[in-house]
Amino acid sequence: MSVGTTGGVRSATAGVPHEWQAVTAPECLAAAQLLGVAAASPDLAWAVGEEGRNGSTRGYPLALLWDGRAWTRLDIDRLGFNGYLRSVTASATGAWTVGADQYGTAHLLSWDGTTWREADFPGRTASGTSLTGVAVAPDGDLWLSGRNSDGAVLLHGHGTELTWQPAPPSAPTAAPSGVRVTRSGEVWVYDSTLIARWNGESWTELPLPAGFRLTVTDLLPVAADNIWLTGYDFGVGGPPGKPPSVTLRHWDGDAWNTVTAPFTVGMLTSIVDDGQGGPDRIAGWDFWDQTRAHHLRWEDGSWVSERGATATTPVLTTALASIPGAGGYWAVGTTSSSPYPPAQVHIEQ
């Protein structure tokens, strides 16, 4: 079954130039970064990440809430773990986020209407279990990417009942970096070592895109012969010291084709659809112009530049979300290209 572009209402802002504005964010422990964002309505959104990190030394999970007027910090110290939250999803009926503690133990949190609470899942405390991404399907089902000790990489839930799906044929040794559920309900997991679709009974794997040190950040399946992939690649000889190259690939049903982006040195970190499953916007970081985000907008069949608000610090956008209802977007990230103090969170709308 191919992925269609029906079943949703096209966003009023899709394809239209958007004037990005910086939004005041609460002060966090340096270094702070937001890694995920999701919106249920113009008056309700969540952002998650990490604060107090210093290089490779993990900090503390960070969670922010938008109530239609301002972003505020949520008190999640009672969860009792150091680490981070990395992915968040939302629907009309709930929200979920995943992360890990400093020992690598996976955490799944559900929104109770006021705050985040720990949720149970198979293998929650078992060695070898990880959760890397979370998405909610149009029917309300929950899908999570990760890995358990049996090699499964996809966790599916109806309500509170969660079940690991069979492992893909390639049996990757690491968890995929994320999961995407399309408007038509197709489920994909993606990473530089696995790009695959689960149809409820079996896996279909795509060939891997070429790249020497490729990091895949997001995937947007539009149809069987129309899939977009974002990321970055350090290439031969880097890192350290070498900036990454932008990665933008398109699957045409036979092969991954390299698409030249409006800028070439930096990262593409997240992609959102137009409300009907087609491409709309991509979040980006431009190495040569770091004081404003460099987003891409799908316009008349090609990707064009769209610049974020000018800042007095570097701006690295790590996640992007469409706002249901009124249209528009949330872009979140941090004020540094690496997680060291005095980095703070950055939010644009």
Side-chain angles (χ1 to χ4, degrees), residues 24-345:
T24 301
E27 190 79 8
C28 302
L29 295 176
Q33 56 182 338
L34 292 173
L35 302 173
V37 62
S41 71
D43 297 327
L44 184 60
W46 299 264
V48 298
E50 181 181 18
E51 63 180 339
R53 181 173 177 176
N54 195 338
S56 61
T57 303
R58 285 293 178 190
Y60 308 92
L62 174 64
L64 307 183
L65 175 69
W66 172 257
D67 62 5
R69 300 183 302 273
W71 285 96
T72 57
R73 292 169 55 99
L74 295 170
D75 182 7
I76 56 173
D77 290 345
R78 58 184 170 70
L79 297 175
F81 69 89
N82 293 6
Y84 62 96
L85 300 171
R86 61 171 288 166
S87 176
V88 61
T89 191
S91 71
T93 58
W96 298 264
T97 183
V98 297
D101 63 25
Q102 70 270 41
Y103 305 111
T105 302
H107 290 262
L108 169 63
L109 310 181
S110 63
W111 181 253
D112 69 359
T114 303
T115 189
W116 293 105
R117 298 191 181 278
E118 292 273 6
D120 198 15
F121 61 93
R124 176 180 172 187
T125 59
S127 175
T129 300
S130 63
L131 296 177
T132 56
V134 59
V136 62
D139 62 4
D141 280 10
L142 192 64
W143 295 91
L144 301 104
S145 59
R147 196 175 189 278
N148 69 4
S149 58
D150 296 325
V153 298
L154 188 63
L155 186 62
H156 176 221
H158 299 279
T160 58
E161 296 295 326
L162 294 168
T163 306
W164 288 98
Q165 305 304 293
S170 64
T173 58
S177 59
V179 59
R180 167 80 70 162
V181 181
T182 69
R183 299 278 173 173
S184 60
E186 289 202 340
V187 183
W188 290 76
V189 294
Y190 57 86
D191 193 73
S192 59
T193 60
L194 177 69
I195 299 174
R197 185 191 71 188
W198 172 251
N199 67 4
E201 297 180 354
S202 61
W203 288 97
T204 300
E205 297 187 27
L206 295 188
L208 297 175
F212 192 74
R213 290 187 174 91
L214 174 65
T215 295
V216 176
T217 58
D218 211 348
L219 189 80
L220 179 63
V222 180
D225 58 354
N226 185 4
I227 301 174
W228 292 97
L229 178 151
T230 62
Y232 56 94
D233 191 346
F234 281 98
V236 179
K242 179 181 178 180
S245 298
V246 166
T247 294
L248 180 58
R249 305 285 174 83
H250 181 256
W251 174 259
D252 63 6
D254 295 314
W256 289 104
N257 301 294
T258 298
V259 178
T260 301
F263 69 102
T264 58
V265 183
M267 304 178 183
L268 298 178
T269 56
S270 184
I271 184 170
V272 296
D273 70 28
D274 60 1
Q276 293 186 317
D280 183 11
R281 274 172 172 80
I282 297 174
W285 172 71
D286 189 338
F287 176 80
W288 297 115
D289 190 1
Q290 296 189 27
T291 57
R292 51 183 179 161
H294 199 155
H295 306 299
L296 308 185
R297 181 179 73 253
W298 184 250
E299 182 179 284
D300 298 328
S302 62
W303 293 103
V304 299
S305 290
E306 184 170 273
R307 306 312 304 268
T310 300
T312 58
T313 65
V315 172
L316 172 57
T317 52
T318 53
L320 182 66
S322 301
I323 302 173
Y329 314 87
W330 287 112
V332 303
T334 182
T335 60
S336 173
S337 59
S338 56
Y340 286 95
Q344 282 292 323
V345 300

